[in-house]
Amino acid sequence: MSKYINNDYLVVASSLLLLCSSAQATEAGAVHYPIGANTIMNAVLPMPGNTALYLYVQNYHSNRLNDTKGNSIDKNFSLDVQAVAPRFLHTWEQKLGPFFMTTVVVTPMINIDVNLFGRHEKNAGFGDPSIAPIYLYYVSPGSDFFAYTGVDFYVPVGEYDEDSIANPGLNYWSASPSVNFTWLPSPRVDMSATLYAEFNAKNKATGYRSGNTATLDFGMSYRPFLSVPQVRVALQGSAFKQFTDDEQDGSDLPGGNRGQVFSFGPQVSYDLGGGAAILLKYQQEFKAENRPEGNKVWMQAVVPL
């Protein structure tokens, strides 16, 4: 299972950002990448000549907004996000050396309900779609190791209003290279990880440039029942860190506004056969700095087309 549900679509106007800048890492804590999405079989893509739909459904809830020391700064803060993101993948029959080539398009749809410093807003609409023209996809001869690398480009055409604090789109371009692997050391064990970076352009409506970020998603699953090998249980999580400062009108914000958050939780999945599968997982966030801290429930599915 793989990405693209955004759990942090909370973008505020420039004046509000300046008012509460000490509490917001990236533009109000928002990033394009759905932190915690890549936790099982994440490097397994469609085989050559095949197309698949990877569907992601997520519910995110937070009632805590943290400052740079991890302290809550708005006792009435709340953020609820429901997201649905279909991800279409096609692997071409042509090869480039040892690699297959896969093209990916994602079209997220977001519903947001947020209370922030006395303001309450709701909104729903399309988020920023992403496209990866080419992933370089490797499958080992024994089909026990899978890996791919490529760059996702987020296109700022999602719904956005600079005076709103509940925007499905972020109104800036991002280029996001990643490295993904899945290793099957035995038929009953899967170990997967994704290292994902995000390099952001400036939001021209607010003059704000969110700092660049890195995310590590990871998971290990196990088939506990030999009589029902379709069932996998897993432990999984993520680590997110911002490694450059936020900027306003070309100047670094005081303190940098660098964010971080970690998450961990259980998951269970079921292989439906023919390459189809369904997954449920829970993630509890902790150690958040300069961003919301909450919990997520995911449903993910793979449907060969």
Side-chain angles (χ1 to χ4, degrees):
M1 298 286 180
S2 202
K3 12 197 188 271
Y4 288 84
I5 296 177
N6 191 326
N7 61 296
D8 295 319
Y9 282 85
L10 174 59
V11 179
V12 300
S14 177
S15 59
L16 185 58
L17 279 163
L18 291 173
L19 175 65
C20 57
S21 62
S22 63
Q24 313 294 318
T26 65
E27 192 160 3
V31 291
H32 278 117
Y33 179 69
I35 300 167
N38 285 318
T39 56
I40 181 173
M41 300 293 284
N42 55 290
V44 179
L45 304 180
M47 293 307 291
N50 291 312
T51 303
L53 166 65
Y54 289 13
L55 181 66
Y56 306 87
V57 179
Q58 185 204 79
N59 182 79
Y60 178 79
H61 172 73
S62 173
N63 58 11
R64 185 180 179 92
L65 180 63
N66 290 354
D67 64 11
T68 191
K69 296 182 179 180
N71 298 317
S72 176
I73 61 169
D74 180 3
K75 65 179 181 180
N76 296 317
F77 172 80
S78 67
L79 173 63
D80 289 280
V81 180
Q82 294 79 41
V84 178
R87 183 187 185 212
F88 299 95
L89 307 92
H90 179 78
T91 299
W92 305 95
E93 295 185 0
Q94 297 84 358
K95 292 186 72 174
L96 182 62
F99 301 105
F100 300 111
M101 295 181 288
T102 303
T103 299
V104 184
V105 177
V106 186
T107 56
M109 294 161 280
I110 317 294
N111 181 69
I112 309 165
D113 187 334
V114 58
N115 285 280
L116 176 65
F117 295 111
R119 292 182 62 180
H120 178 216
E121 289 190 18
K122 297 180 180 180
N123 197 5
F126 283 95
D128 295 334
S130 69
I131 182 169
I134 293 295
Y135 287 157
L136 297 179
Y137 177 34
Y138 174 78
V139 181
S140 69
S143 296
D144 58 357
F145 182 79
F146 303 81
Y148 74 85
T149 185
V151 181
D152 297 290
F153 297 95
Y154 293 89
V155 184
V157 296
E159 184 177 337
Y160 179 82
D161 179 352
E162 65 180 289
D163 295 321
S164 174
I165 61 169
N167 281 303
L170 302 187
N171 200 46
Y172 57 81
W173 291 84
S174 295
S176 301
S178 68
V179 177
N180 309 259
F181 82 85
T182 293
W183 179 40
L184 307 175
S186 79
R188 301 179 70 176
V189 177
D190 151 43
M191 302 176 67
S192 293
T194 289
L195 181 60
Y196 198 94
E198 190 163 313
F199 298 91
N200 302 310
K202 182 173 68 174
N203 182 340
K204 294 182 179 179
T206 63
Y208 199 98
R209 183 181 180 276
S210 297
N212 302 323
T213 65
T215 302
L216 175 66
D217 289 345
F218 56 88
M220 183 173 73
S221 72
Y222 179 70
R223 300 180 189 266
F225 310 113
L226 290 176
S227 59
V228 192
Q230 300 92 333
V231 174
R232 302 171 188 255
V233 296
L235 293 175
Q236 43 76 32
S238 64
F240 166 87
K241 190 74 174 181
Q242 183 178 338
F243 59 87
T244 66
D245 294 346
D246 285 5
E247 299 176 3
Q248 179 70 55
D249 298 323
S251 299
D252 290 350
L253 289 180
N257 275 6
R258 299 191 184 193
Q260 74 169 33
V261 70
F262 302 90
S263 71
F264 196 71
Q267 76 181 23
V268 60
S269 63
Y270 188 87
D271 297 333
L272 299 171
I278 190 168
L279 173 152
L280 293 172
K281 65 183 176 184
Y282 173 81
Q283 295 168 338
Q284 179 65 54
E285 294 182 331
F286 59 96
K287 295 289 186 180
E289 296 178 1
N290 291 322
R291 60 178 295 112
E293 180 178 293
N295 58 75
K296 314 169 199 175
V297 177
W298 299 76
M299 188 281 288
Q300 299 175 207
V302 175
V303 181
L305 300 179

